């Protein structure tokens, strides 16, 4: 309940025994199914010193973890195969809050996919996206501040973004992403905002991974170009491998990473104040130092015609 502090949840497997997802077009849960919508549900936006350790949260009909915390430490936690999302912090409860979150040695994978209860693999036709009225973020946030530290962790094969911290744009928000591996997510692999340090990561933007797989019903490319082209689940948000935004007066750094991909660009950088009409100033900036960039070839039908880009290869920085 809200305000609970000094609590530890450890050494548990949290799952159900049904192969279904809430609202899935072909694998929707029925009343007779032995399913649970959420693995851990929490409203602890005031509670502090919450610890999740050695947990395996998988195969839920909606979301593995749905909740907010004043402060949370997550160590050696797997959040996998939950039909809508891995961890969803968007609870529509108030305009903003400022948690302290530390995630280490954890894996967030296959969220947005219905898990086969017998095999722990994605069910046939079980992976879906926003166009099918699903979701699919590994970790997704709403507008907030606070401090997020993610280290030594993996974000892979989620049907939307892998790690989505793009809404951490409240004043004072800080993000550290260090020694993280992200790949195979159908949108952006990593997206952050606030004062961020992105260092020592391997980010592989193979955003069309789900295309043609027997466990996938994702369709089309490049959602953000729907107004002039067509909607799509693959390479949503233009499939940029890394997306970083800053606010007025904020300085961020992208250091010592290997970033490759097939989306529109490898890195998308920009200004994103809470007031969308307010521009950033000369005190805002992003330093991009000592990184390895490698753009994959992209089929011209999608990259050139749909995005009006010239050339075959993916661009490094937008």
């Amino acid at each position: 309940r809200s305000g609970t502090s000094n609590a530890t949840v450890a050494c548990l497997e949290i799952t159900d025994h049904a192969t279904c997802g809430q609202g899935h077009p072909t694998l929707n849960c029925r009343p007779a199914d032995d399913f649970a919508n959420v693995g851990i549900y929490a409203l602890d936006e005031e509670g502090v010193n919450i610890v999740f350790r050695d947990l395996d949260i998988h195969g839920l009909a909606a979301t593995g973890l749905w909740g907010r915390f004043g402060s949370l430490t997550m160590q050696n936690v797997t959040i996998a195969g939950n039909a809508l999302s891995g961890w969803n912090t968007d609870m529509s409860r108030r305009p903003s809050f400022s948690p302290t979150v530390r995630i280490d040695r954890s894996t967030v994978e296959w969220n947005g996919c219905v898990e086969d209860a017998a095999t722990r693999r994605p069910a046939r036709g079980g992976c879906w996206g926003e166009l099918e009225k699903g979701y699919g973020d590994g970790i997704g946030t709403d507008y907030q501040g606070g401090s997020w530290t993610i280290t030594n962790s993996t974000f892979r094969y989620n049907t939307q973004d892998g790690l989505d911290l793009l809404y951490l744009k409240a004043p004072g928000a800080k993000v550290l992403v260090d020694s993280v591996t992200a790949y195979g997510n159908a949108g952006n692999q990593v997206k952050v905002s606030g004062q961020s340090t992105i260092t020592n990561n391997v980010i592989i933007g193979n955003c069309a991974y789900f295309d043609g797989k027997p466990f996938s019903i994702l369709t089309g490319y490049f959602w953000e170009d729907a107004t002039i082209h067509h909607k799509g689940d693959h390479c949503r948000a233009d499939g940029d491998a890394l997306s970083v935004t800053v606010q007025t007066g904020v300085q961020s750094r992208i250091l010592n990473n290997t970033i490759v991909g097939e989306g529109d660009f490898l890195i998308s950088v920009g200004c994103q104040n809470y007031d969308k009409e307010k521009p950033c100033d000369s005190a805002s900036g992003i330093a991009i130092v000592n990184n390895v960039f490698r753009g994959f070839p992209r089929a011209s039908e999608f990259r050139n015609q749909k995005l009006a880009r010239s050339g075959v290869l993916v661009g490094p920085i937008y």
Side-chain angles (χ1 to χ4, degrees):
R1 59 188 281 129
S2 186
T4 297
S5 296
N6 305 312
T8 297
V9 181
C11 304
L12 293 174
E13 179 184 13
I14 301 173
T15 189
D16 65 24
H17 299 285
T19 302
C20 69
Q22 276 294 89
H24 192 279
T26 60
L27 297 171
N28 189 28
C29 295
R30 302 163 299 177
D33 291 327
D34 185 10
F35 75 93
N37 278 330
V38 178
I40 297 178
Y41 174 72
L43 297 176
D44 294 328
E45 44 191 45
E46 305 298 337
V48 297
N49 194 27
I50 309 298
V51 176
F52 291 165
R53 187 177 65 246
D54 299 313
L55 299 179
D56 186 4
I57 306 170
H58 69 94
L60 282 307
T63 299
L65 173 57
W66 186 33
R68 289 180 165 186
F69 306 88
S71 69
L72 171 68
T73 298
M74 186 183 300
Q75 299 173 326
N76 195 30
V77 172
T78 296
I79 304 177
N82 301 292
L84 283 178
S85 62
W87 177 13
N88 184 4
T89 77
D90 186 356
M91 308 195 73
S92 303
R93 289 177 54 79
R94 63 186 187 186
S96 68
F97 77 117
S98 297
T100 298
V101 178
R102 297 179 177 87
I103 301 173
D104 184 51
R105 293 175 288 113
S106 294
T107 299
V108 180
E109 62 184 4
W110 297 112
N111 296 291
C113 296
V114 173
E115 180 183 274
D116 187 317
T119 65
R120 287 203 59 169
R121 300 295 298 168
R124 185 173 185 83
C127 297
W128 53 323
E130 190 169 356
L131 290 184
E132 296 77 34
K133 304 187 184 305
Y135 179 22
D137 273 356
I139 294 181
T141 58
D142 59 352
Y143 173 64
Q144 57 188 258
S147 173
W148 286 66
T149 300
I150 301 98
T151 54
N152 307 305
S153 295
T154 299
F155 297 83
R156 61 189 177 189
Y157 306 133
N158 300 286
T159 64
Q160 199 158 289
D161 302 317
L163 174 64
D164 185 356
L165 305 182
L166 196 63
Y167 295 98
L168 270 63
K169 54 187 178 179
K174 295 183 179 181
V175 179
L176 170 65
V177 179
D178 181 74
S179 301
V180 160
T181 303
Y183 57 91
N185 302 289
N188 303 125
Q189 308 304 309
V190 175
K191 55 204 311 182
V192 299
S193 193
Q195 180 182 322
S196 57
T197 300
I198 313 299
T199 183
N200 303 319
N201 305 290
V202 176
I203 300 174
I204 303 172
N206 54 332
C207 51
Y209 168 80
F210 286 92
D211 192 19
K213 299 293 194 299
F215 45 75
S216 172
I217 59 173
L218 274 67
T219 59
Y221 285 80
F222 296 121
W223 168 273
E224 264 61 24
D225 293 281
T227 54
I228 56 175
H229 300 302
H230 67 276
K231 294 182 179 181
D233 289 314
H234 304 288
C235 300
R236 186 189 183 279
D238 291 345
D240 301 317
L242 171 63
S243 178
V244 179
T245 65
V246 294
Q247 293 72 47
T248 298
V250 170
Q251 295 280 335
S252 291
R253 301 182 297 164
I254 303 172
L255 310 174
N256 305 334
N257 304 282
T258 296
I259 304 174
V260 305
E262 63 177 338
D264 193 20
F265 284 84
L266 298 180
I267 303 179
S268 173
V269 300
C271 169
Q272 181 185 248
N273 284 305
Y274 180 61
D275 179 355
K276 294 182 179 180
E277 302 302 318
K278 181 180 180 181
C280 289
D281 55 23
S282 59
S284 309
I286 299 176
I288 303 175
V289 180
N290 199 40
N291 300 280
V292 174
F293 298 136
R294 173 68 186 270
F296 295 162
R298 190 84 189 114
S300 61
E301 177 188 358
F302 300 112
R303 179 168 175 74
N304 296 348
Q305 296 176 18
K306 304 303 180 185
L307 296 177
R309 309 295 190 205
S310 61
V312 175
L313 294 175
V314 172
I317 302 171
Y318 177 76

